[in-house]
Amino acid sequence: MNDRFSLQGRVAVVTGGGTGIGRGSALALAEYGADVVLAARRPEPLESTAGEIEALGRRTVAVAADVTKAEECQRIVDVTLAEFGRLDILVNCAGGAETKSIRKWTEDEWHQVLALNLGSVWFLSRAASVPMLAAGRGAIVNISSGASLLGMPQAAPYGAAKAGVNNLTASMAAAWTRKGIRVNCVAVGAVRAATLTDDAARYGLDPEAIGLMNGAGRLGEPAEIGNAVLFFASDAASFCSGQTLYVHGGPGPAGIRHGHLPPRQEEPVHRRRPPPSGDHRR
């Protein structure tokens, strides 16, 4: 039987690959046959995930890099081509932000959030497109957030950046799909990963309570987002490009409204706002 999910012989780059959704995505791709280049700022988590990938029988390289810088994004691509001779899949997973009210953000913080969550997707996708276009095929999967689809005053810069990722996904798909590169996006809901759990702790919130308002009644796991990434990266999604898939556990009791706290804890409790929906800091 032809396995449309097989990634045998392919090479993937995963940013934010040391922890959380990045780690879950990298392991999902490796499990289905891909060799993986892991990129993030902190080398220690990368080495840990690299060990897990090698245990699956796949080759891997860990690259400590700052994906907010164009030259660092190009270096990731250069290392990938030098080590493996090809680049088939890019997963733009690096990201994250804290939560606070609109007037409390500094100018530098605004630029930092946009650079990490949107600029990195722009720079690395453009760098990766060169070998993909030369090969006539490739798959780019961007990680966005439910915050991109909502008005969230405590996560305004983050939500704006992720909304930009959704739009950039569609624009790159329009530019590159006929040339062989599919570009898709996964907007995640509340997932058990560092941005969510760390920010919940900062506000004195129980992370488990944040997942109660979706249909599943729980937090998502990074591996579950990895499954969505695997779909878009594989030939199973050969007719999908320019799409943003919202993976958030389903609508909760309030229907399509996507709450974050049980009703008894919602407004007007202004000092205990929940973090953005989902985690993207790897």
Side-chain angles (χ1 to χ4, degrees):
M1 179 183 297
N2 181 27
D3 185 356
R4 299 285 289 172
F5 287 92
S6 175
L7 300 177
Q8 290 289 336
R10 300 185 196 180
V11 174
V13 169
V14 181
T15 67
T19 60
I21 295 170
R23 171 182 170 274
S25 299
L27 292 176
L29 300 180
E31 183 178 352
Y32 277 79
D35 296 322
V36 183
V37 175
L38 301 166
R41 290 179 179 177
R42 295 181 296 152
E44 294 82 6
L46 292 180
E47 295 297 338
S48 176
T49 303
E52 295 180 272
I53 291 172
E54 290 172 347
L56 293 171
R58 308 313 311 167
R59 295 184 296 162
T60 184
V61 173
V63 182
D66 180 357
V67 295
T68 67
K69 301 181 183 300
E71 61 272 21
E72 289 284 273
C73 292
Q74 184 61 57
R75 182 170 67 86
I76 293 168
V77 172
D78 292 343
V79 169
T80 301
L81 296 177
E83 292 289 335
F84 296 103
R86 59 188 297 161
L87 199 174
D88 304 281
I89 300 161
L90 169 63
V91 181
N92 284 306
C93 199
E98 61 179 318
T99 56
K100 54 187 174 183
S101 61
I102 290 173
R103 295 288 300 169
K104 291 184 177 179
W105 290 90
T106 68
E107 181 178 351
D108 284 345
E109 288 172 335
W110 163 262
H111 288 298
Q112 289 166 7
V113 171
L114 263 66
L116 177 60
N117 292 282
L118 180 59
S120 62
V121 176
W122 172 256
F123 292 127
L124 192 48
S125 295
R126 295 209 310 167
S129 72
V130 175
M132 289 182 179
L133 289 169
R137 64 172 296 158
I140 297 174
V141 186
N142 299 321
I143 301 299
S144 180
S145 168
S148 70
L149 307 172
L150 306 167
M152 297 181 65
Q154 294 298 107
Y158 178 76
K162 290 301 188 182
V165 171
N166 300 350
N167 186 271
L168 196 57
T169 296
S171 295
M172 289 181 171
W176 294 335
T177 300
R178 287 200 177 187
K179 299 176 181 179
I181 304 175
R182 294 181 297 101
V183 188
N184 290 289
C185 184
V186 180
V188 307
V191 174
R192 191 188 314 280
T195 293
L196 185 146
T197 56
D198 290 352
D199 217 34
R202 189 178 302 117
Y203 285 91
L205 300 173
D206 177 5
E208 300 304 323
I210 298 170
L212 292 179
M213 291 302 290
N214 63 40
R218 63 173 177 83
L219 295 176
E221 301 296 337
E224 293 176 302
I225 307 304
N227 291 337
V229 171
L230 170 64
F231 168 67
F232 278 139
S234 73
D235 291 343
S238 58
F239 200 54
C240 296
S241 194
Q243 303 304 302
T244 294
L245 175 65
Y246 193 10
V247 182
H248 68 303
I256 62 171
R257 179 178 177 277
H258 185 63
H260 300 282
L261 291 176
R264 62 184 174 84
Q265 293 181 329
E266 289 186 349
E267 301 293 359
V269 182
H270 299 293
R271 291 183 298 174
R272 306 190 96 198
R273 299 297 180 91
S277 176
D279 164 55
H280 317 299
R281 191 189 307 277
R282 314 304 159 233

